[in-house]
Amino acid sequence: QEPSNKRVRPLARVTSLANLISPVRNGAVRRFGQTIQSFALRSDSKSPGCTQKSCSRSAAPTPPKRRNSVLWSEMLDVNMKESLSTKEIKRQEAIYEMSRGEQDLIEDLKLARKAYHDPMLKLSIMSEEELTHIFGDLDSYIPLHEDLLASLGEATKPDGTVEQIGPILVKWLPRLHAYKGYCSNQLAAKALLDQKKQDRRVQDFLQRCLESPFSRKLDLWSFLDIPRSRLVKYPLLLKEILRHTPKDHPDIQILEEAISIIQGVLSDINLKKGESECQYYIDKLEYLDEKQKDPRIEGSKALLCHGELKNKNGHKLYVFLFQDILVLTRPVTRNERQAYQVYRQPIPVQELILEDLQDGDVKMGGSFRGAFGNSDKAKNIFRVRFQDPSPGQSHTLQANDVFHKQQWVNCIRTA
């Protein structure tokens, strides 16, 4: 229960840096190797970053909703507030925002263990191995964030202000490298969770949790995605503190160093995550012919983009553009698991010709136009083929809309 003396501020009045991060829209083209924020872009109705209102009840938004809280300046007495400049109040607000965010994160990590992991293990709803795969070392990060919170607490003076935060952050931020494994496993963890949701017992348990007050109407994945959403906030939080720090303040240079550190950490995590996700899809490829196997696929470390396209017959294909080779596949299900059956011969990018076709291109003929439905024009189309005509490989592909067509064309050109 909430303590009776706790001050509660209506949600509508709370100002938070979290509000500055707008939800991303789903895209048919999924790009890899940019930032860990891009994870939310590679989504459909079953994937981690679903932020659209059209999603089902179980697909809650991420990052999590904030609790009721007060602003730092609201806790000051009148005399104290008058003694501080507006800039200093904003600086302290930003530092408090960071501290409060750590507290929220710790509470949510503990909740994920207590309300989801442990009950499902105790009730044998999932096996320990499955839960370990889905939850990873989530609870091992609690002490990491508790250490930062403790350091911030020690640096807070009796009047509630923090003089210097830079040295604390420069010392602590490199420890976030610990998240490499967790972020790299997210794609596989989400796939297993989606698979387990087909089990009636799992579905019923998660639905009951979703309807319980403790969940704040967030589904399990929202809690599992909390570390990632927190990681991408750190640069924003640090830049906000720096923005309100006077130029002659000793924190200036140290905060700039801290921003450089966190950007390096995120870059390293993202690189590792990209390699892991690339391997995840390579392992799901199925070959109908040994000739389709190409060492450039197995050797890939980066997946530049992937998504659904239609071929000239109107059949849905799932296309992967690895760093050195384009692979067309047909999505299939094997024992309730998603797999991708390689379609025709993969095209190495060095041997690939890309043609940007115009809507209703007459060179394609009437039979082609009819394949895409009743429209007189075949829209958003492009062609990929081998430079050498001897393999006889040519694929005319259609994207959902002009935006996604342009993404594919740009991505292939860049490769």
Side-chain angles (χ1 to χ4, degrees):
Q1 293 183 347
E2 297 284 1
S4 58
N5 63 346
K6 180 178 178 181
R7 294 182 63 190
V8 178
R9 181 176 176 84
L11 268 179
R13 295 173 61 198
V14 176
T15 57
S16 164
L17 278 177
N19 297 332
L20 299 176
I21 306 175
S22 58
V24 295
R25 292 195 172 274
N26 295 338
V29 180
R30 286 65 147 153
R31 290 176 174 273
F32 285 74
Q34 294 172 345
T35 70
I36 59 176
Q37 289 159 291
S38 66
F39 194 69
L41 284 168
R42 301 186 299 280
S43 59
D44 53 26
S45 61
K46 294 183 179 179
S47 57
C50 187
T51 59
Q52 305 301 306
K53 289 183 180 179
S54 60
C55 292
S56 65
R57 289 175 66 192
S58 60
T62 188
K65 298 171 185 175
R66 292 294 302 271
R67 292 88 167 155
N68 291 342
S69 61
V70 295
L71 297 172
W72 179 83
S73 58
E74 293 179 317
M75 298 183 288
L76 296 178
D77 60 45
V78 177
N79 293 331
M80 181 66 184
K81 192 177 288 190
E82 289 177 351
S83 68
L84 297 174
S85 67
T86 303
K87 193 176 184 72
E88 183 58 26
I89 289 176
K90 287 182 178 179
R91 171 179 154 82
Q92 295 300 328
E93 289 278 17
I95 294 172
Y96 178 73
E97 172 78 11
M98 181 167 218
S99 178
R100 176 72 198 192
E102 292 299 299
Q103 183 64 55
D104 289 350
L105 175 63
I106 292 165
E107 289 175 9
D108 282 337
L109 293 181
K110 288 180 177 178
L111 180 65
R113 167 67 67 172
K114 184 179 178 182
Y116 292 93
H117 179 282
D118 293 351
M120 283 195 284
L121 181 61
K122 189 174 182 179
L123 297 169
S124 300
I125 291 174
M126 285 196 212
S127 69
E128 187 168 5
E129 183 182 356
E130 288 169 335
L131 289 167
T132 299
H133 191 67
I134 291 170
F135 283 78
D137 295 327
L138 201 62
D139 58 335
S140 70
Y141 303 118
I142 294 171
L144 189 155
H145 294 281
E146 284 178 335
D147 285 350
L148 176 59
L149 198 59
S151 297
L152 291 173
E154 290 168 7
T156 303
K157 297 191 291 189
D159 63 7
T161 61
V162 176
E163 181 63 31
Q164 256 196 294
I165 192 175
I168 295 171
L169 295 172
V170 166
K171 183 179 179 181
W172 180 81
L173 287 170
R175 294 177 63 185
L176 292 176
H177 279 291
Y179 277 111
K180 274 184 187 176
Y182 185 81
C183 290
S184 296
N185 185 57
Q186 273 197 302
L187 190 61
K190 182 63 171 63
L192 178 59
L193 179 60
D194 282 342
Q195 182 192 339
K196 293 304 295 182
K197 282 180 181 177
Q198 307 305 312
D199 184 324
R200 196 57 178 265
R201 291 187 72 202
V202 174
Q203 197 177 73
D204 183 60
F205 176 85
L206 294 179
Q207 185 60 35
R208 287 173 184 270
C209 289
L210 189 64
E211 293 169 357
S212 299
F214 71 78
S215 74
R216 309 194 305 283
K217 296 186 179 180
L218 303 179
D219 71 350
L220 173 56
W221 183 256
S222 292
F223 286 99
L224 296 175
D225 194 42
I226 281 168
R228 181 203 60 82
S229 61
R230 181 64 180 171
L231 285 172
V232 299
K233 281 185 190 176
Y234 284 121
L236 292 173
L237 290 164
L238 298 190
K239 287 174 183 177
E240 184 69 5
I241 297 170
L242 180 62
R243 193 161 69 91
H244 298 298
T245 301
K247 292 183 178 179
D248 58 349
H249 196 286
D251 250 354
I252 282 285
Q253 284 189 329
I254 309 176
L255 279 173
E256 288 173 347
E257 183 184 347
I259 291 169
S260 177
I261 290 171
I262 186 59
Q263 287 173 338
V265 169
L266 293 184
S267 178
D268 288 348
I269 290 175
N270 192 55
L271 185 65
K272 179 73 176 173
K273 188 172 180 292
E275 290 177 1
S276 175
E277 290 167 353
C278 184
Q279 190 60 51
Y280 172 84
Y281 285 110
I282 290 172
D283 292 341
K284 287 188 173 294
L285 295 178
E286 293 183 355
Y287 299 91
L288 295 174
D289 190 324
E290 285 295 311
K291 293 178 181 177
Q292 293 177 322
K293 292 187 176 180
D294 190 303
R296 280 167 284 209
I297 298 175
E298 289 296 327
S300 293
K301 296 294 183 185
L303 183 52
L304 305 181
C305 59
H306 66 113
E308 191 178 274
L309 295 167
K310 288 182 181 178
N311 67 4
K312 65 184 287 185
N313 297 318
H315 296 147
K316 290 181 180 178
L317 300 178
Y318 205 90
V319 182
F320 298 93
L321 178 61
F322 295 98
Q323 65 204 42
D324 295 318
I325 193 164
L326 183 76
V327 183
L328 289 80
T329 73
R330 296 180 185 222
V332 292
T333 303
R334 305 282 188 236
N335 300 320
E336 298 183 353
R337 292 177 182 269
Q338 181 77 59
Y340 300 92
Q341 196 176 78
V342 176
Y343 175 73
R344 304 289 178 84
Q345 191 67 26
I347 308 177
V349 294
Q350 288 184 331
E351 301 172 33
L352 186 150
I353 296 290
L354 170 69
E355 294 179 61
D356 186 352
L357 304 176
Q358 300 302 309
D359 290 352
D361 196 324
V362 292
K363 289 186 290 186
M364 301 308 299
S367 60
F368 170 75
R369 290 199 300 270
F372 290 106
N374 298 323
S375 172
D376 293 331
K377 290 184 176 181
K379 296 181 179 180
N380 313 313
I381 52 174
F382 61 95
R383 185 185 296 140
V384 290
R385 62 179 175 84
F386 280 89
Q387 285 179 1
D388 181 357
S390 59
Q393 291 277 327
S394 177
H395 304 281
T396 303
L397 302 169
Q398 183 187 42
N400 289 337
D401 53 48
V402 66
F403 173 73
H404 292 123
K405 172 196 170 176
Q406 203 55 50
Q407 281 189 299
W408 272 107
V409 168
N410 291 345
C411 212
I412 293 170
R413 277 178 180 159
T414 302

